[in-house]
Amino acid sequence: MPTASSVSIDRRADRGLGRPLARDIRKTGIAPDHWYPLARARDLRRASTLGVSFAGEPIVLARTATGRVFALEDRCAHRQVPLSLGEVKGERLLCTYHCWAYNHTGACINVPYLDQGKGLPNGVKSYPCVEAYGLIFVYPGNVHAPGILTFPQITTQGNPAYRTRYLDRRIACHYSFMHENLMDMNHQYLHRSLMGSINPKALDIREGDGWVEVDYTFHRAAGKQPIGEKFMLGRRTKTPDAKAEAREDKDIMTIRTGYPYQTLQFWTAGASEPALDLWNAYVPTDAAQRHNHTFGLMSVRKPGVPGTIHLLWPFIVAFTNGIFGQDEAIVEAEQRAFDAQGRDENNEIFPIIQKLRHLLVEQGVPL
Ligand code: FES
Ligand SMILES: [Fe+2]
């Protein structure tokens, strides 16, 4: 558990405050040299295909009869029709048009009407592909870049003390708005109808090569704690500011962008395991990167009494859906404002968000 006195362990990156960004953040493409979830595993059945995309690149995911998953460019090498319209037979993917057959490496391994003695044509591009945490991850970048070696680690996955909810939402905004929205807890006002009045306080900011993070603590200024929040994070009473300040054992929320992913963990005072562990990836789908597919795993620590989590779960789902709905509406409004103005006109004053913006620009690529 982080504490208010923790210090930066790597200041090499020290992203200067007030310094202008090197590039318009909304015209910055996400770096392809990372692993991105492109689908939920359950949406790709045996012997079938699923058409997805990464930043405008069409990709077909296929699961063979034996369960093997692979990812290819979603354009037949013959006439470029989507291979996702095709059929999986055994371990091969057959294009629906003239039945050219492909294997998991993208090689064309059969053309039914090819003249005897003629060589097979070139196949299509393949992508490294891994099924993990109930998601299908694809690596769309340069396979010789170091990013291929860094598969995301989600420590609460597989831990029976947690129950996980999948987030799977298509949101009409650039991925950078998603990072800023979650990391900037000063927007609790947006959620006043659901949460009442909450005062966040940033305790510490840390940063390093490829990441920034911030710790917050909160206190309730007015209103009642929503029941879904209480079930998820535990009961939190109204505490006067000065008292909360003085307490060493306050509740802590840590939000981190470890490029390109984002995590949020919430520790109740004194706990050694987080009550909430959220992992998110915001995957651009279109070439202009004005839309993203958000995949997330929201893991909630189960209460001590077995089975209780199932009773609480509908409240947790309803509460979080309400919050996500408000966030989704506001980030889409931000995207529309950007589109109308044609450039990023934000006047950001909060240090962690200034640092986050530098991080996203420095790690990203020009669009
Ligand atoms: S277009 Fe795919 S086989 Fe002809
Ligand atoms: Fe929010």
Side-chain angles (χ1 to χ4, degrees), residues 181 187 190-191 323 327:
N181 168 265
H187 82 267
L190 176 71
H191 301 304
I323 300 286
D327 284 329

mmCIF file of all heavy atoms in Angstrom, residues 181 187 190-191 323 327, ligand 2:
data_model
loop_
_atom_site.group_PDB
_atom_site.id
_atom_site.type_symbol
_atom_site.label_atom_id
_atom_site.label_comp_id
_atom_site.label_asym_id
_atom_site.label_seq_id
_atom_site.Cartn_x
_atom_site.Cartn_y
_atom_site.Cartn_z
ATOM 1 N N ASN A 181 -9.565 11.718 -17.863
ATOM 2 C CA ASN A 181 -10.804 11.653 -17.082
ATOM 3 C C ASN A 181 -10.618 10.828 -15.814
ATOM 4 O O ASN A 181 -10.997 11.243 -14.719
ATOM 5 C CB ASN A 181 -11.918 11.056 -17.955
ATOM 6 C CG ASN A 181 -13.158 10.689 -17.147
ATOM 7 O OD1 ASN A 181 -13.316 9.538 -16.740
ATOM 8 N ND2 ASN A 181 -14.008 11.646 -16.890
ATOM 9 N N HIS A 187 -12.827 15.904 -10.838
ATOM 10 C CA HIS A 187 -14.101 16.024 -11.563
ATOM 11 C C HIS A 187 -15.254 15.352 -10.805
ATOM 12 O O HIS A 187 -16.292 15.066 -11.406
ATOM 13 C CB HIS A 187 -13.966 15.491 -12.994
ATOM 14 C CG HIS A 187 -14.082 14.005 -13.128
ATOM 15 N ND1 HIS A 187 -13.000 13.150 -13.118
ATOM 16 C CD2 HIS A 187 -15.162 13.210 -13.275
ATOM 17 C CE1 HIS A 187 -13.420 11.909 -13.261
ATOM 18 N NE2 HIS A 187 -14.729 11.911 -13.348
ATOM 19 N N LEU A 190 -18.903 16.296 -11.393
ATOM 20 C CA LEU A 190 -19.698 15.694 -12.465
ATOM 21 C C LEU A 190 -20.616 14.602 -11.924
ATOM 22 O O LEU A 190 -21.703 14.382 -12.450
ATOM 23 C CB LEU A 190 -18.755 15.104 -13.535
ATOM 24 C CG LEU A 190 -19.414 14.337 -14.685
ATOM 25 C CD1 LEU A 190 -20.162 15.297 -15.616
ATOM 26 C CD2 LEU A 190 -18.373 13.557 -15.479
ATOM 27 N N HIS A 191 -20.166 13.923 -10.888
ATOM 28 C CA HIS A 191 -20.916 12.769 -10.373
ATOM 29 C C HIS A 191 -21.769 13.119 -9.153
ATOM 30 O O HIS A 191 -22.157 12.246 -8.393
ATOM 31 C CB HIS A 191 -19.939 11.639 -10.014
ATOM 32 C CG HIS A 191 -19.107 11.192 -11.173
ATOM 33 N ND1 HIS A 191 -19.646 10.759 -12.359
ATOM 34 C CD2 HIS A 191 -17.757 11.120 -11.343
ATOM 35 C CE1 HIS A 191 -18.673 10.439 -13.203
ATOM 36 N NE2 HIS A 191 -17.518 10.649 -12.619
ATOM 37 N N ILE A 323 -21.786 5.857 -12.988
ATOM 38 C CA ILE A 323 -20.573 6.677 -13.066
ATOM 39 C C ILE A 323 -19.984 6.634 -14.478
ATOM 40 O O ILE A 323 -19.660 7.668 -15.068
ATOM 41 C CB ILE A 323 -19.522 6.170 -12.038
ATOM 42 C CG1 ILE A 323 -20.079 6.255 -10.611
ATOM 43 C CG2 ILE A 323 -18.204 6.914 -12.187
ATOM 44 C CD1 ILE A 323 -20.153 7.628 -10.038
ATOM 45 N N ASP A 327 -19.254 9.676 -17.226
ATOM 46 C CA ASP A 327 -17.911 9.901 -17.778
ATOM 47 C C ASP A 327 -17.924 9.811 -19.302
ATOM 48 O O ASP A 327 -17.301 10.609 -19.997
ATOM 49 C CB ASP A 327 -16.926 8.877 -17.206
ATOM 50 C CG ASP A 327 -16.541 9.210 -15.771
ATOM 51 O OD1 ASP A 327 -16.523 10.404 -15.424
ATOM 52 O OD2 ASP A 327 -16.257 8.276 -14.996
HETATM 53 FE FE FE B 2 -15.674 10.101 -13.522
#
